[in-house]
């Protein structure tokens, strides 16, 4: 068990370094989705769910309490099915995702 925990600590340290090394320019709003983009899909508007495209730490979720609503941000990586599907896309592009033999089609509604 100690070996597994040690490996997890190393993974977290690696993820922190990778996140710290995201260039500030990547975090500025842009048209084309890439590392550092924050994206909302059409079907997630009502749920107030967003996706942050990062090089590591996929699956991490956080909630931000805003003045009016609480939003959820999910970290995804370019290697994930959703991350791969949205890389290089822009607002209003169609996104097709295949997960567990299920095909999902959606549209990009916002990119920050």
């Amino acid at each position: 068990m100690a070996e597994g925990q040690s490996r997890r600590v190393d993974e977290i340290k690696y993820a922190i370094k990778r996140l710290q090394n995201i260039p500030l320019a990547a975090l500025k709003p842009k048209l084309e989705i890439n590392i550092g983009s924050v994206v909302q899909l059409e079907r997630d508007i009502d749920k107030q769910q967003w996706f942050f495209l990062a090089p590591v730490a996929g699956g991490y979720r956080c909630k931000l309490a805003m003045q009016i609503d609480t939003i959820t941000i999910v970290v995804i990586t370019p290697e994930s099915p959703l991350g791969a599907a949205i890389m290089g896309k822009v607002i209003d592009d169609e996104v097709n995702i295949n997960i567990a033999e299920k095909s999902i089609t959606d549209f990009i509604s916002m990119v920050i």
Side-chain angles (χ1 to χ4, degrees):
M1 188 156 115
E3 181 180 331
Q5 289 175 335
S6 174
R7 192 171 345 154
R8 182 70 180 133
V9 168
D10 290 341
E11 290 171 359
I12 291 170
K13 285 180 182 178
Y14 174 75
I16 289 170
K17 271 189 177 176
R18 292 286 310 269
L19 291 169
Q20 287 174 332
N21 288 326
I22 295 175
L24 289 179
L27 300 175
K28 292 183 179 177
K30 53 198 155 292
L31 295 177
E32 190 174 286
I33 297 170
N34 208 325
I35 297 294
S37 294
V38 179
V39 179
Q40 187 174 55
L41 300 178
E42 191 172 283
R43 67 175 42 198
D44 296 316
I45 293 171
D46 291 339
K47 294 185 281 185
Q48 286 296 306
Q49 180 166 290
W50 294 77
F51 299 95
F52 173 60
L53 191 58
V56 291
Y60 179 78
R61 293 174 182 266
C62 67
K63 290 191 182 275
L64 296 175
M66 309 297 277
Q67 288 181 351
I68 299 172
D69 285 322
T70 297
I71 64 171
T72 300
I73 299 175
V74 179
V75 178
I76 59 172
T77 65
E79 294 79 25
S80 70
L82 178 56
I86 66 172
M87 283 291 289
K89 302 269 187 180
V90 296
I91 290 177
D92 293 329
D93 277 354
E94 183 177 273
V95 177
N96 295 300
I97 310 155
N98 294 311
I99 301 174
E101 299 179 21
K102 189 176 188 181
S103 182
I104 300 168
T105 300
D106 207 339
F107 294 90
I108 297 168
S109 62
M110 292 192 72
V111 177
I112 300 173

